[in-house]
Every structure is written in structure tokens, then in C-alpha cells.
Amino acid sequence: MMSFDADIIVVGAGPAGLAFCRTLAQSPLKVLLLEKQEEENIKNPAFDGREIAITHSSRQSMQQLNIWQHLPKDEIYLLRDAKVFNGTSDYQLHFEEKNPRIPGEGLGFLIPNHCIRQASYQAVKEQNNVQIRYGLGVKDVALNEQGATVTLDNGEQISARLVVAADSRFSNTRRKMGIGADWNDFGRTVHVFRMRHTKSNEHTAFECFHYGRTLAILPLEEHLSSCVVTIDTHRSHEITDLTPEQLAQSIMNQLGHKLGDMHMEETLVSYPLVGVHAKTFYGVSCAVIGDAAVGMHPVTAQGYNLGLQSAMILGGLITEAALAGQDIAAPSLLAKYERKHMLSTRALYHGTNFVVKLFTTENAPAKLLRSAVMRISNNLPPVKYLITRQLTHI
């Protein structure tokens, strides 16, 4: 039997890694959380432009983990409706607020990414069975049926019964654990920035699949929205070369002035657009969660929700096993985690990639199919209901 430094080593103090630690709060387990960044970057994360869509199911999980309670109330924004536009057509696919079980709470919520990260950190800091070590990256991972040994960048070796990778879709730890992944480099770049506008957004999101670029408008305050422009990377200069005034005018033109006059509120931030789905979610004495398991295209707004779901599933199974005195890294336990999470993610991941390809392909047949898909989805209540349930998890 190996003598361990911790029961579980978690790599990555992002939202998924921190949420996973919170799921173990009622367990007898000793958890060691490794983070490559310094503590100040985790304790007080900088604004990064990203607004995260939260489903009602995710809110319940965040409340259960005591993360929701740490969010600033004025940074929780209601998402009441969503409208999708295709090309130059005014026809819209409309997802309305129709939820008798949760009246007045629409399709979900939008919360700035840095607020979620900070609230998750604050929740974990209250936890007695978690130790966080900062400024340490993972150099290598050795695995066997008895446990895992992690070699850090400074040469130190630490061991645990289970190691969990939560260090982004570009996870170095996942590779070191021998877990492969399907990649989809979309060849596109996402540009995000906030804008003030004179007309109310009515808490409605817009997804505009215009030819040449995609524009999403995410409602925050009634007269403040986050703008997300996705464009082929080789054309990114068409966005980044604009002055704030020119960019505002470009967005106003694309929206047909639906939000009135607009001006930039925050600095523009850009991200490469890459999707990833791990081929398996576990190995010998190891598992992957969060974006290390599934990194989604943002069009379906499910990235954080799926990451949180992975943490809840794996953490719940491990806590149950620990309280029963069972092996927390048993292959049967990890396989059960994979079955549950794979059921939710694989079809959604590939389906999302298909939709993205369809709505960014601009030949004549694709344009006709795009229009047909919009109208079928809008006019067949069962189809629309299923899409809405998938987006909101109600």
C-alpha cells in the first residue's frame, strides 16, 4: 500500500476544480489543490470580458456548494428571452420565458466569469479539508492501481489515491495521464467587450449568424450588454483595428440600431475558438472534469454548466464512497462517473459543432438549410421545447 500526501490531488483552481473541492466538503477526505498561478490571481481574478450563462439547475448546484451565496447580487443578470437571426433575414427563432415552475426567472442568468471564479475561491477557503498550493505546475504524472504520483515543475513529488485534472481544455495534466481528446480548432477568434446603449435590451439575448461573422448580444443591465463577435482568425484585424467609436458603429449597423446609440464600456478581449472532448473521462487512479473533459463552443452557452455538472457527479460519487469506507478511485466508480457525464456531453458537443458548421457555412445549399432549420425549430413546439430544456436544464 502506498502512503499518500493527500487522498485526492486536484490540478487547476478554476471554477470546475474549485467546485469539485466544494463537493467534498462533507467527506473525510484530504484534498490538495494545485494551481499554477499565484494566489492573488485566484483570490481577486481580473475582469476578462466573459459573461457566463447559468441554468436553473446550475444555480441550484452553486447554492448547494455555497458558491452562489458569495456572488455579488448586482452582478447576477436575468436572461429572460433569446432570439436567433440568420444572415440578412429579419426572421427570428424566439426562445421565450415560459416556465410556470419558476415564474419571472426566464431562461437563466448571466454572471461575469471573474465573479464566479472569486465566489468559488471564497467558498473553498472556508473548507477545512482542502489545502491550496500556488505557483506550481505539473511536470509529470505516474499512475498505477494503488494511486498516483505527481511530479511538480520544481521537481517535488506528491502522491494521492486519485488525481483529478481540471486545468483547462488545453490540459497538460490530461496528456500526462494518457487521456486523449478530440479537438476542433474552428480557425476563428472570439472578441468580447461591453457596450452601453440607449434602448433597453429587455433582458433578451441576440444570436446573429450574419454572413462573415457571428454577433451575440448578452443582456446585463437594461442598458448594458456584452457583445461577442466571432470571426475567422485571419480577419480578426477587421475588429481589432477599429477605434471604439468605429466598433460601436459597426455593432449598431449589424443590429439595425435595435439598441439605439451604443458606446464601449470595457476594453476588448480576444480568445481563440477551440472545442475539445476527452476520449475518456477517467483512467487508472485519475479522472478529468471541467474543460479538461469537455470544452464547448460558446454558442450553446453550456461550458460552465457542463463543467459544474462534471464536478457534482464525480464529487457526489466519491463522497458517497468515502463515507461508506469504499475505494474512492475504484474503476467501477470512475466508470459510473464517465457514463453519467458522457451521456450529457457527447451528443451536445458534436451536435453543437454541427450547428456551428452549418451556420457559418455560406454556400447556397447551406443558406437554404439554415433557413429551414430555423423555421422548423420555431414552428414545431416539441422541437422548440426540447431545445429550450437543453439550454436551460429546467
Side-chain angles (χ1 to χ4, degrees):
M1 296 292 293
M2 295 177 63
S3 177
F4 300 122
D5 298 299
D7 295 299
I8 301 176
I9 294 173
V10 181
V11 183
L18 291 167
F20 174 69
C21 289
R22 282 298 301 164
T23 68
L24 305 173
Q26 303 305 316
S27 78
L29 301 172
K30 178 182 177 182
V31 182
L32 178 57
L33 176 58
L34 304 176
E35 172 52 48
K36 198 167 187 177
Q37 297 186 69
E38 298 301 327
E39 181 175 9
E40 181 61 25
N41 294 331
I42 306 301
K43 182 179 180 181
N44 294 302
F47 174 80
D48 62 8
R50 288 178 283 193
E51 316 293 343
I52 307 300
I54 303 294
T55 65
H56 294 286
S57 175
S58 289
R59 179 180 65 168
Q60 293 172 2
S61 296
M62 294 171 76
Q63 290 171 332
Q64 180 181 334
L65 300 178
N66 201 37
I67 294 173
W68 189 269
Q69 292 84 331
H70 286 286
L71 291 169
K73 302 304 179 186
D74 60 349
E75 293 276 19
I76 301 173
Y77 304 105
L78 177 68
L79 176 58
R80 181 170 290 131
D81 293 335
K83 297 179 180 180
V84 181
F85 296 89
N86 175 40
T88 56
S89 173
D90 288 332
Y91 185 81
Q92 62 187 33
L93 173 56
H94 189 190
F95 298 99
E96 302 171 82
E97 176 188 18
K98 289 182 179 178
N99 180 24
R101 287 194 297 156
I102 315 178
E105 294 201 352
L107 301 175
F109 310 90
L110 291 163
I111 302 173
N113 184 56
H114 72 283
C115 292
I116 294 175
R117 293 177 59 197
Q118 187 174 53
S120 301
Y121 166 84
Q122 290 170 343
V124 170
K125 286 295 288 184
E126 301 170 352
Q127 197 168 328
N128 294 326
N129 65 335
V130 176
Q131 177 191 1
I132 308 178
R133 296 185 61 185
Y134 299 95
L136 293 170
V138 171
K139 183 178 181 180
D140 203 2
V141 180
L143 304 164
N144 59 48
E145 294 179 354
Q146 284 71 49
T149 299
V150 175
T151 302
L152 305 178
D153 287 339
N154 63 5
E156 180 184 355
Q157 290 189 330
I158 52 178
S159 61
R161 179 65 188 94
L162 177 70
V163 60
V164 176
D167 53 340
S168 85
R169 65 189 66 194
F170 306 106
S171 174
N172 173 63
T173 308
R174 181 186 61 222
R175 290 194 297 271
K176 296 296 184 181
M177 296 190 308
I179 296 178
D182 295 321
W183 283 78
N184 192 338
D185 186 340
F186 294 95
R188 294 165 72 82
T189 298
V190 179
H191 306 280
V192 293
F193 46 94
R194 286 182 171 186
M195 282 202 170
R196 289 274 174 193
H197 39 82
T198 55
K199 293 183 180 179
S200 171
N201 54 35
E202 298 180 349
H203 301 288
T204 298
F206 297 92
E207 187 79 36
C208 309
F209 290 99
H210 294 141
Y211 300 136
R213 68 184 65 175
T214 300
L215 170 65
I217 301 294
L218 307 178
L220 304 175
E221 299 170 8
E222 188 176 352
H223 294 278
L224 176 68
S225 297
S226 175
C227 300
V228 185
V229 178
T230 306
I231 191 170
D232 290 347
T233 298
H234 73 278
R235 295 179 53 197
S236 283
H237 64 91
E238 296 178 14
I239 303 299
T240 57
D241 286 352
L242 298 178
T243 65
E245 294 75 19
Q246 290 172 329
L247 183 55
Q249 187 62 54
S250 173
I251 300 300
M252 285 189 284
N253 292 342
Q254 280 189 265
L255 288 175
H257 295 264
K258 288 183 176 68
L259 296 178
D261 292 334
M262 307 179 72
H263 68 269
M264 283 188 67
E265 181 86 354
E266 297 281 354
T267 304
L268 181 147
V269 185
S270 303
Y271 301 96
L273 193 53
V274 176
V276 62
H277 195 290
K279 294 181 178 179
T280 180
F281 292 160
Y282 77 100
V284 176
S285 301
C286 67
V288 293
I289 63 172
D291 277 3
V294 184
M296 290 288 293
H297 188 290
V299 69
T300 51
Q302 289 299 306
Y304 174 77
N305 297 295
L306 291 178
L308 180 61
Q309 181 186 87
S310 69
M312 294 293 291
I313 294 173
L314 182 59
L317 292 171
I318 288 174
T319 297
E320 182 180 340
L323 292 174
Q326 299 171 352
D327 183 5
I328 62 171
S332 58
L333 182 154
L334 299 178
K336 187 174 183 180
Y337 156 63
E338 178 180 76
R339 284 195 303 272
K340 287 189 172 185
H341 196 42
M342 193 73 75
L343 187 65
S344 300
T345 63
R346 186 168 290 282
L348 181 60
Y349 174 79
H350 290 291
T352 297
N353 290 348
F354 169 77
V355 169
V356 169
K357 184 175 182 180
L358 173 63
F359 278 84
T360 54
T361 300
E362 297 177 3
N363 56 39
K367 289 180 179 180
L368 288 173
L369 183 56
R370 286 163 62 165
S371 179
V373 168
M374 290 268 291
R375 293 180 184 275
I376 291 172
S377 300
N378 215 24
N379 292 292
L380 285 181
V383 173
K384 193 171 183 180
Y385 172 75
L386 288 174
I387 295 173
T388 304
R389 276 191 61 88
Q390 183 61 58
L391 292 175
T392 61
H393 286 196
I394 295 173

